[in-house]
Amino acid sequence: MINQMKSTTMSLRVKFACFCVAFALLFSSIISPPALAVTQIQLKDLTYEECSAEVGKGTVTSGGPIMRLANCFIISGTTVNKSGKPVMDADVFGRIFDANNNPAMENRGRLGAIDIVEPGEGTFELRVSVPDALETPFKLEQFKASGFTAKVR
């Protein structure tokens, strides 16, 4: 009789423990935030133009211990967001080369960010400063953007 009571008590403990684990797993999946994955944004139809005088006035770029004069340009183009959801704070990456194939921003692939990229096709503008010694026309290569469908804190 005592062995049967111990067996029943043990069985109830095991069932209770299984119930608690199952409840914890179910509850944590309900309240946990959704997983955020990087969303790729295609950038196409890229063009650039010089900034207006008031926007580009006094533009400089870092050049080690001294500041160097720079030229201001606005890069614009089309975004393609196939995710079906808005993408927040999409980082823009790309390479800019001058007429002599010199990199405009050596050792720097991130050029800026787009606040919100709506689903489908849209437009963007990005301001960049390049050393004034670089010759145009520029070549804009390997441009893309990536971000998240929710704010990342």
Side-chain angles (χ1 to χ4, degrees):
M1 177 99 160
I2 292 178
N3 284 338
Q4 188 177 14
M5 287 178 64
K6 284 183 181 180
S7 175
T8 303
T9 304
M10 191 70 110
S11 176
L12 287 175
R13 285 182 185 174
V14 169
K15 288 178 183 177
F16 182 72
C18 288
F19 172 77
C20 289
V21 169
F23 181 76
L25 289 173
L26 178 65
F27 189 71
S28 69
S29 68
I30 291 172
I31 64 166
S32 66
L36 297 176
V38 174
T39 302
Q40 299 297 321
I41 306 296
Q42 178 188 359
L43 302 179
K44 64 180 188 175
D45 306 327
L46 300 171
T47 60
Y48 69 91
E49 61 184 35
E50 271 192 81
C51 297
S52 62
E54 55 273 358
V55 172
K57 184 178 180 181
T59 303
V60 294
T61 184
S62 63
I66 60 169
M67 300 297 269
R68 297 186 292 182
L69 290 177
N71 292 325
C72 172
F73 292 92
I74 302 290
I75 298 173
S76 58
T78 302
T79 60
V80 181
N81 176 0
K82 297 178 182 179
S83 74
K85 298 178 182 178
V87 174
M88 316 292 177
D89 301 322
D91 290 317
V92 176
F93 301 91
R95 309 277 297 162
I96 303 172
F97 297 95
D98 74 356
N100 299 314
N101 286 326
N102 295 313
M105 298 181 173
E106 203 163 5
N107 300 321
R108 185 170 159 205
R110 183 186 180 278
L111 301 175
I114 305 170
D115 290 335
I116 298 176
V117 181
E118 295 294 338
E121 289 195 4
T123 59
F124 79 98
E125 286 188 342
L126 183 68
R127 181 181 182 268
V128 295
S129 299
V130 299
D132 70 340
L134 297 178
E135 296 180 32
T136 57
F138 292 129
K139 297 174 198 152
L140 307 175
E141 297 181 359
Q142 301 172 353
F143 270 67
K144 64 181 178 180
S146 60
F148 298 93
T149 56
K151 283 279 188 194
V152 177
R153 300 186 194 275

